[in-house]
Amino acid sequence: MTKVFIDGKAGTTGLRIYERLEARDDVEIITLSEEERKLPEARKRALNSCDIAFLCLPDDAARESVSMIENDKVTVIDTSTAHRTDAAWCYGFPELSEEYEQKLLGAKRIAVPGCHASGFIALVYPLIKKGIINADAYLTCHSITGYSGGGKKMIAEYEAAVGRSVLLDAPRQYGISQQHKHLKEMKAITGIDKAPCFCPIVSDFYSGMLVTVPLFKEQLNEGYDINSIRKVYAEKYCTEIVKYTESLDEGGFVAANAVAGKDIMLVSVNGNEDRIILCALYDNLGKGASGAAVECMNTVMKVDKTTGLVL
């Protein structure tokens, strides 16, 4: 029986992980009372007595938790931004390549990809590796997400019974300073020279995410076209969790919450020979956070990656 501790279980990501694990008979979840979870000594004891520790915490708190671990047998799966570009940590996106999956199998320190970053990386990484676009390409990324991505405070704002601002009725673009915390990860994992111009938008639905990357045909290297991209995605993304699909739209529209509640990611290529739209559709709390974290755990445990996931 694998013992699991979720540090930060009360948060949005932690709760979703708990939901995915509570009915499983191959894991035992170590729980702390409301009082204990705020005590460093209780958290340290739990962190050192488990086999796998999920960190669902702000960056500084995640680093603090790692510093508490003295048991070298503990595998840490961190959902924060703290370690995603740390060379000593494994990046938890096994679908990217055989190399990423093999590293994950024996990893003790695993960083779960960021929600926005997951879609951008899934779309751009294989194109760089195949030489379809160059690392010095100027890229733009649009991403629309449900408000659960903003955590408990934002959820409370959107779901307030009284005093709710009418401004929340419309989609809201943010990250307008181009300093979003996922940019460093997006650049580092894909291998591009410059971070993309990133345009995230939060809207009035609980969860779901649609990430798009537009390309002009002039950005593709000689010998490649829109069908080359489709072929690469179809060959790479053919698992139950991440899969290529020829079409995501319904009547010309793609709803960002179309796979809300699930742990899958759907990848598609749209547009025409001149202007191409790359799309990744998933749940910001699924493959964008909690689902990805559980998939990492399954990989480490050497069980079916889909165990406990909602597909």
Side-chain angles (χ1 to χ4, degrees), residues 147-162:
Y147 58 78
S148 60
K152 284 188 171 182
K153 181 179 179 181
M154 183 174 286
I155 292 171
E157 290 173 349
Y158 272 92
E159 298 184 350
V162 294

Side-chain angles (χ1 to χ4, degrees), residues 223-236:
Y224 295 108
D225 59 14
I226 187 171
N227 289 320
S228 304
I229 299 174
R230 289 181 174 130
K231 182 180 179 182
V232 167
Y233 288 166
E235 291 175 352
K236 174 175 284 292

Side-chain angles (χ1 to χ4, degrees), residues 35-154:
E35 296 75 20
E36 286 181 315
R37 71 181 183 86
K38 298 176 183 178
L39 299 175
E41 59 270 26
R43 288 175 50 226
K44 182 175 181 178
R45 184 171 61 252
L47 286 164
N48 283 281
S49 61
C50 67
D51 299 302
I52 296 175
F54 288 98
L55 307 184
C56 305
L57 304 162
D59 289 3
D60 288 343
R63 294 187 185 97
E64 179 187 51
S65 289
V66 173
S67 72
M68 292 179 177
I69 299 174
E70 299 167 347
N71 182 352
D72 60 9
K73 294 182 179 179
V74 175
T75 296
V76 180
I77 301 176
D78 183 11
T79 68
S80 82
T81 314
H83 301 102
R84 290 176 186 157
T85 57
D86 188 330
W89 286 63
C90 175
Y91 193 71
F93 202 145
E95 291 86 2
L96 291 181
S97 70
E98 181 68 21
E99 180 183 4
Y100 273 101
E101 181 164 5
Q102 288 303 312
K103 285 183 179 178
L104 191 55
L105 284 169
K108 289 295 184 183
R109 296 291 182 268
I110 300 164
V112 178
C115 55
H116 297 287
S118 294
F120 178 80
I121 291 166
L123 296 172
V124 174
Y125 178 90
L127 304 190
I128 296 291
K129 289 296 182 182
K130 289 288 186 179
I132 294 178
I133 61 175
N134 292 329
D136 62 359
Y138 288 91
L139 298 176
T140 298
C141 177
H142 297 271
S143 182
I144 183 164
T145 181
Y147 58 78
S148 60
K152 284 188 171 182
K153 181 179 179 181
M154 183 174 286

Side-chain angles (χ1 to χ4, degrees), residues 15 18 93 131 154 166 168 264 303:
L15 284 171
Y18 181 80
F93 202 145
M154 183 174 286
V166 295
L168 301 182
I264 61 173
V303 300

Side-chain angles (χ1 to χ4, degrees), residues 221-291:
N221 286 320
E222 187 176 352
Y224 295 108
D225 59 14
I226 187 171
N227 289 320
S228 304
I229 299 174
R230 289 181 174 130
K231 182 180 179 182
V232 167
Y233 288 166
E235 291 175 352
K236 174 175 284 292
Y237 300 132
C238 52
T239 70
E240 292 183 77
I241 297 174
V242 182
K243 47 192 166 184
Y244 169 76
T245 180
E246 291 191 3
S247 178
L248 288 174
D249 74 289
E250 292 188 16
F253 294 89
V254 183
N257 64 348
V259 295
K262 297 184 178 181
D263 297 311
I264 61 173
M265 176 185 286
L266 302 178
V267 173
S268 186
V269 182
N270 305 276
N272 53 52
E273 291 291 345
D274 294 319
R275 297 180 306 282
I276 303 165
I277 301 291
L278 312 177
C279 297
L281 179 68
Y282 51 108
D283 188 336
N284 57 290
L285 294 180
K287 184 57 174 168
S290 307

